[in-house]
Amino acid sequence: MNHNPYPLKKPFFTPGVYVMLVFMITGGVTVLARFIGGIGYVSNLTHLYPWGLWIGIDVASGVALAAGGFTTAALAHILGRHHYEPVVRPALLTAALGYTFVVLGLLVDIGRSWAIWKPMLYWNPNSVLFEVAMCVMVYLNVLYIEFIPIVTEQFKSKFSILAVLEDHLGKIMWIFVIAGVVLSCMHQSSLGSLMLIAPTKVHPLWYTPILPLLFLLSAISVGYPMVIFETTLITTSMKLDSEMDCLSPLSKITIYLLGVYMILKLGDMLVRGTYVYLLDFSAQSNSFLCEMLIGVITPWIMLCFENVRKSRKTLFFVSCLIIFGVLINRINVFIVGFKPHYSTTPYFPSIGEMLVTCGLIATLMFIYRLAVTWLPVLRAKAKKGGSS
Amino acid sequence: MDLSRRNFFGVMAGTGTLLAGRTQNAHAWKSKAPENPFGCLVDLTRCVGCRKCEEACNQANHLPPPDKSFENKSVFEFKRRPDESKYTVVNRYYSGTKNDQDALLPTFVKIQCMHCQDPSCVSACVVGALTKKENGAVHYDVSKCIGCRYCMVACPFEIPAYEYHNPITPHVRKCNFCFEKISQSGGVPACASICPMEAITFGHRKQLIDIARNRMKKDPGKYVHDIYGEKEVGGTSWMYISGEPFEKVGFQKLPLTPPPKLTETIQHSLFSYLWSPILLYSLLGGIMWFKNKNDRGGTHES
C-alpha cells in the first residue's frame, strides 16, 4: 500500500458515465433557460422564499461535504499522522471540485452573476455573508494551489519548468495548508451564523445562538465519513483495493468528533427547551427527528462497535448515515426550518431547480473520475482478481 | 511540506505584533440608528381604503400599470403583499368589531418597507448596497447589488421583492421612502402627501411618537395603547396606531432587539482585527513545526 499515487488510466466510458452525461446535459439546458427567462422561469423561488434548493444544497451542503479536504490535511500534514497520506489527495480533489461547484451554483443562483466579483470592491464587514464570500473565494484559490503538485507531478517529466515550480511551491506549501484549515473553520462556522439574522423565520428547533459552532462541528465530523464514502465508491467503481487500513482508524476519530456534536446538539435542545416541539408531527419536527435519529444518534452508536468499523460494508453504511445527517441538517436550516410569517404555501423546489442541482453534481462526479483517471490522485492498487 | 524554524518564528513574531496591536475590548454592539430621522405615522382608524396612496406610489416610482385599476375594491378580497410592481399595498381586515347595525367594521392597513432604525437588510447586504440614510430612508444602490437576496432572507417584515423574471439585471424592489423627495426641504413621500384622510403623517420620528401619544390621550377609547414600530426590532421609521389589536390586523409580534445585534456581535467578537484566525494560524503553525521537527529524526517522509 505504500507506493505513490498514480493515474489509473482505466477505460473512461462506462454506463455510469453515460448516466452522468445525461444529467449534465439536462442541467445545462436548464441553466441556459435560467439565463434566458430569469430565475423565476426555472425555479419556485418567491419574495418570501428567496433561498431554496440551490443555496440549501449546492452551496450550504456543498461546503459542508467538502470538509474532508481540510480535516484530512490537518490530520496528515499538521498533526503529522502520515499514515493517512493516501486519503489526502482524493479528499483534496473532492474539496477543490466541491468549492468550484459551490461557486458555479452561486453563479446560477445570484441574480447578477456577472457582478459576483463586487464583494471584493464593496465591503460590508457587518455582513456574515460578506465574510463567507471572502473566505470561500480565498479558500478556493488555496485549494487550487494545494492541487498544483498533483498536476506538476504528472507532467514534470515533459516540461522541466514544472519540476522547478513544484520544488519552490513545496517549500512554502505549509503556508497554504494551514491557511486552508483556518479559512475553513471561519466560513464553515459563519455559514451557521447566516440564518441568525432571521430570528422570526427560522424554526426554534434550529434557531440557536450556537448555530455557528454546530455548523463547524458538524462539518468537521462529516469530513472523515465523506472520505470513507468517496474512497469506498471510487475503489469499488474502479475495482481497486479498499484502503480499509486507512479508513477504519478515520472512523474511530469520528466517534469523538460526532460525539461532541451530538452532545452539543442535544444539550442545546435541553437548555432552550425546544424538545416541546419534537412531537408536533409538523414537517419541521419530523425533519428534525429524522436528522437526529437517523443522521446523528444511530451512526454514532453503530460506530462505537469495532466490527462495524472493521467491515467495509457497514462502515460505508454508517458514513452514508452521517453524510445524510449533515445534508438534512443544512436543508433543515435553510429550507425546511425557514418559515416566513406571511407565507401561505410552503416552498418546494421546482423540477428546474432539481435538474440544475443534479447536473452540477453529475458534472462534479464526471470531473472527479476524469481526474483520478489521468492524474496521480489515488494510490490504492488494482485489486487482484477475485478477492474482495 | 517544509516548515523551517525561521519561517515559523517569523509567523509568530508577526502574530505577536498584530495581537498586541489589537485593543482589548471586544466592542459591545452599538445601535447605528440615526438620532431623529424622518418617519411616517399611519393612523389605521382614519384609513378608508381608497388606495390613493397605492396610485401615488405607482406614479412617483414609474411602476408598471396595475392589473386592476386603483378604484377597484375587489382587490381587498385577498391579502396582498408588496412586490416588484407595487411598493405599497392596502389590505382589509375584519377584526370582529361591529357597528350599531351589527355589520362587521373593516380596518384598512397600508404596508410598505418600515425603514427600520437598525435594518437587518442593511446589516446583511454582502456589498453594502443597502444603507440607512440620516434622513431615515433605507436606500438601495443597484450598482453594488449582486442579487444574492440575503436582504430578503433577513427582512423581519418580509418586504423586499425581486425581479425574478429579469435574467441578467434584476433589481431588489421595495419602498424607498421617496428618498429624492424627502432629501429636499419640504419634501413629503408621495403616499403621505396624497392621503385624503390624513391617515399618514410625515415628520420627525420623535415628534411622531408625541403626536401618537397625544391622540391616544385625547381619545383613549379609540386606540389600543401601543405604537407599532416604536420599539419593534429596535424601532422603525414607519409607525402605526390602531383601534384594533395589531395581531388581528396582520401585524406579527416581533422581538424588540434589532436582529443585527446578535450576528454583528458574533462577527465582531470573533473576527475584529482577524484575531481568532491569526491565533489559530499560529497555533496550527506551532503544532506543525513541532511535529515536523520530531519527524525529521531520520524517517523519510513525503
Side-chain angles (χ1 to χ4, degrees):
Chain A
M1 201 59 128
N2 234 347
H3 68 101
N4 287 326
Y6 65 103
L8 296 174
K9 298 251 167 80
K10 294 215 170 198
F12 186 77
F13 286 96
T14 58
V17 173
Y18 287 112
V19 175
M20 282 184 221
L21 280 172
V22 171
F23 276 114
M24 285 159 71
I25 292 165
T26 47
V29 172
T30 321
V31 170
L32 202 65
R34 176 255 175 266
F35 282 103
I36 293 170
I39 296 171
Y41 183 60
V42 293
S43 80
N44 280 348
L45 296 176
T46 61
H47 305 312
L48 295 181
Y49 291 97
W51 285 359
L53 190 74
W54 292 338
I55 293 292
I57 295 207
D58 306 10
V59 177
S61 306
V63 166
L65 298 184
F70 85 94
T71 50
T72 50
L75 189 64
H77 292 155
I78 294 178
L79 299 176
R81 304 290 167 89
H82 300 293
H83 170 67
Y84 295 106
E85 287 293 342
V87 293
V88 173
R89 280 194 172 181
L92 174 63
L93 174 62
T94 319
L97 287 177
Y99 276 84
T100 306
F101 280 82
V102 165
V103 175
L104 291 182
L106 272 175
L107 283 174
V108 177
D109 183 80
I110 68 170
R112 301 174 155 234
S113 315
W114 47 271
I116 196 167
W117 56 273
K118 283 187 174 171
M120 283 191 279
L121 196 62
Y122 306 115
W123 292 20
N124 178 11
N126 287 332
S127 168
V128 181
L129 192 61
F130 170 73
E131 189 228 318
V132 173
M134 293 308 251
C135 279
V136 168
M137 187 188 71
V138 179
Y139 185 49
L140 184 62
N141 287 298
V142 167
L143 282 169
Y144 288 159
I145 292 170
E146 287 186 71
F147 198 76
I148 290 176
I150 300 179
V151 182
T152 53
E153 195 179 307
Q154 179 65 15
F155 299 106
K156 69 181 166 190
S157 53
K158 285 181 196 149
F159 310 96
S160 56
I161 181 119
L162 290 180
V164 182
L165 171 70
E166 186 184 78
D167 199 42
H168 285 306
L169 190 60
K171 285 191 185 125
I172 53 162
M173 190 53 98
W174 64 274
I175 297 177
F176 299 108
V177 172
I178 306 176
V181 176
V182 173
L183 287 165
S184 294
C185 289
M186 286 169 77
H187 71 264
Q188 292 284 4
S189 57
S190 291
L191 269 175
S193 313
L194 272 184
M195 299 313 267
L196 294 183
I197 194 82
T200 54
K201 301 184 194 175
V202 180
H203 194 279
L205 279 170
W206 293 281
Y207 189 92
T208 160
I210 66 160
L211 201 54
L213 183 62
L214 292 176
F215 263 52
L216 178 63
L217 288 173
S218 57
I220 292 176
S221 47
V222 84
Y224 300 138
M226 197 60 199
V227 169
I228 295 169
F229 172 79
E230 73 204 54
T231 307
T232 310
L233 266 191
I234 195 79
T235 51
T236 308
S237 155
M238 294 290 195
K239 301 192 175 54
L240 305 170
D241 258 349
S242 60
E243 308 236 39
M244 278 301 281
D245 61 336
C246 204
L247 301 184
S248 278
L250 277 183
S251 66
K252 197 166 181 182
I253 308 174
T254 305
I255 302 178
Y256 301 103
L257 300 177
L258 189 66
V260 174
Y261 173 62
M262 181 175 71
I263 290 167
L264 267 179
K265 189 110 169 122
L266 293 174
D268 172 66
M269 186 177 76
L270 290 175
V271 170
R272 289 185 307 113
T274 48
Y275 45 81
V276 295
Y277 300 104
L278 280 185
L279 295 176
D280 276 0
F281 299 104
S282 63
Q284 283 73 25
S285 67
N286 292 344
S287 204
F288 184 85
L289 284 174
C290 209
E291 173 193 334
M292 284 310 286
L293 293 177
I294 304 175
V296 183
I297 297 171
T298 311
W300 185 80
I301 293 172
M302 284 180 73
L303 271 185
C304 293
F305 293 96
E306 196 176 359
N307 38 4
V308 171
R309 298 197 304 270
K310 287 274 182 286
S311 147
R312 189 161 181 246
K313 278 190 183 129
T314 49
L315 186 56
F316 180 73
F317 177 68
V318 172
S319 301
C320 287
L321 289 185
I322 298 172
I323 293 165
F324 168 81
V326 172
L327 185 69
I328 195 106
N329 172 260
R330 299 306 192 259
I331 294 174
N332 282 341
V333 170
F334 285 91
I335 304 175
V336 179
F338 188 80
K339 283 188 74 180
H341 181 260
Y342 294 106
S343 85
T344 44
T345 43
Y347 160 84
F348 195 82
S350 70
I351 302 287
E353 287 173 84
M354 293 183 209
L355 286 179
V356 170
T357 297
C358 290
L360 283 172
I361 295 170
T363 317
L364 190 149
M365 291 166 73
F366 185 86
I367 299 177
Y368 186 94
R369 204 177 160 94
L370 213 59
V372 298
T373 309
W374 300 107
L375 290 172
V377 175
L378 298 175
R379 62 171 91 187
K381 268 188 196 150
K383 209 156 39 176
K384 289 168 209 88
S387 70
S388 59
Chain B
M1 213 54 59
D2 198 29
L3 176 56
S4 74
R5 173 185 282 260
R6 197 170 28 166
N7 279 342
F8 172 62
F9 283 117
V11 171
M12 287 307 270
T15 311
T17 350
L18 270 164
L19 282 181
R22 177 180 129 75
T23 43
Q24 274 304 301
N25 54 329
H27 302 283
W29 184 83
K30 269 201 210 90
S31 164
K32 291 174 276 291
E35 182 59 26
N36 193 13
F38 284 127
C40 278
L41 178 69
V42 184
D43 191 333
L44 298 182
T45 63
R46 296 184 179 183
C47 181
V48 293
C50 68
R51 300 184 66 210
K52 284 272 184 272
C53 53
E54 289 187 36
E55 190 174 9
C57 177
N58 179 283
Q59 281 160 8
N61 292 294
H62 312 290
L63 296 173
D67 299 334
K68 288 177 182 171
S69 88
F70 288 109
E71 276 75 52
N72 193 327
K73 298 291 182 283
S74 70
V75 293
F76 290 130
E77 281 158 28
F78 302 96
K79 299 286 177 286
R80 297 175 300 151
R81 299 287 306 161
D83 62 26
E84 70 272 32
S85 63
K86 36 189 187 295
Y87 297 168
T88 185
V89 293
V90 178
N91 281 321
R92 183 181 61 195
Y93 291 88
Y94 290 106
S95 56
T97 313
K98 290 174 181 168
N99 65 4
D100 313 336
Q101 279 89 44
D102 220 29
L104 284 168
L105 283 175
T107 305
F108 294 97
V109 182
K110 173 190 187 298
I111 43 177
Q112 71 298 306
C113 172
M114 299 286 281
H115 300 276
C116 304
Q117 284 286 70
D118 278 298
S120 300
C121 58
V122 169
S123 170
C125 181
V126 64
V127 285
L130 289 155
T131 44
K132 175 77 175 172
K133 300 289 185 190
E134 264 316 294
N135 65 13
V138 174
H139 183 262
Y140 171 65
D141 176 2
V142 71
S143 69
K144 291 181 179 175
C145 181
I146 65 167
C148 69
R149 306 190 295 284
Y150 190 31
C151 51
M152 299 164 67
V153 171
C155 178
F157 298 100
E158 304 167 14
I159 290 295
Y162 203 63
E163 294 177 339
Y164 280 112
H165 289 277
N166 179 337
I168 307 293
T169 55
H171 292 228
V172 169
R173 297 287 190 192
K174 69 168 193 69
C175 157
N176 52 30
F177 209 172
C178 287
F179 176 68
E180 256 89 69
K181 280 199 183 107
I182 65 166
S183 296
Q184 290 157 9
S185 75
V188 177
C191 54
S193 62
I194 197 106
C195 181
M197 302 305 292
E198 290 181 16
I200 310 168
T201 314
F202 175 76
H204 284 283
R205 192 169 181 274
K206 282 179 179 162
Q207 283 73 32
L208 291 176
I209 293 174
D210 290 340
I211 292 172
R213 294 233 170 87
N214 276 337
R215 284 191 202 164
M216 289 173 184
K217 205 188 277 172
K218 265 188 211 147
D219 206 345
K222 193 174 169 190
Y223 294 101
V224 292
H225 281 251
D226 190 14
I227 307 171
Y228 192 91
E230 185 190 359
K231 297 209 172 82
E232 275 74 13
V233 290
T236 54
S237 279
W238 277 69
M239 292 170 292
Y240 291 78
I241 48 176
S242 166
E244 303 295 333
F246 284 105
E247 311 85 78
K248 286 191 178 172
V249 288
F251 290 83
Q252 51 171 327
K253 202 155 172 54
L254 287 173
L256 302 186
T257 42
K261 185 178 178 182
L262 176 62
T263 50
E264 287 180 11
T265 304
I266 292 177
Q267 285 304 95
H268 293 308
S269 53
L270 276 180
F271 298 116
S272 61
Y273 305 98
L274 294 177
W275 73 271
S276 67
I278 292 168
L279 188 68
L280 182 61
Y281 198 101
S282 342
L283 202 70
L284 293 174
I287 294 171
M288 193 170 178
W289 174 74
F290 183 73
K291 291 280 179 189
N292 268 21
K293 190 186 72 172
N294 284 357
D295 282 357
R296 228 165 275 151
T299 49
H300 191 75
E301 48 114 358
S302 56

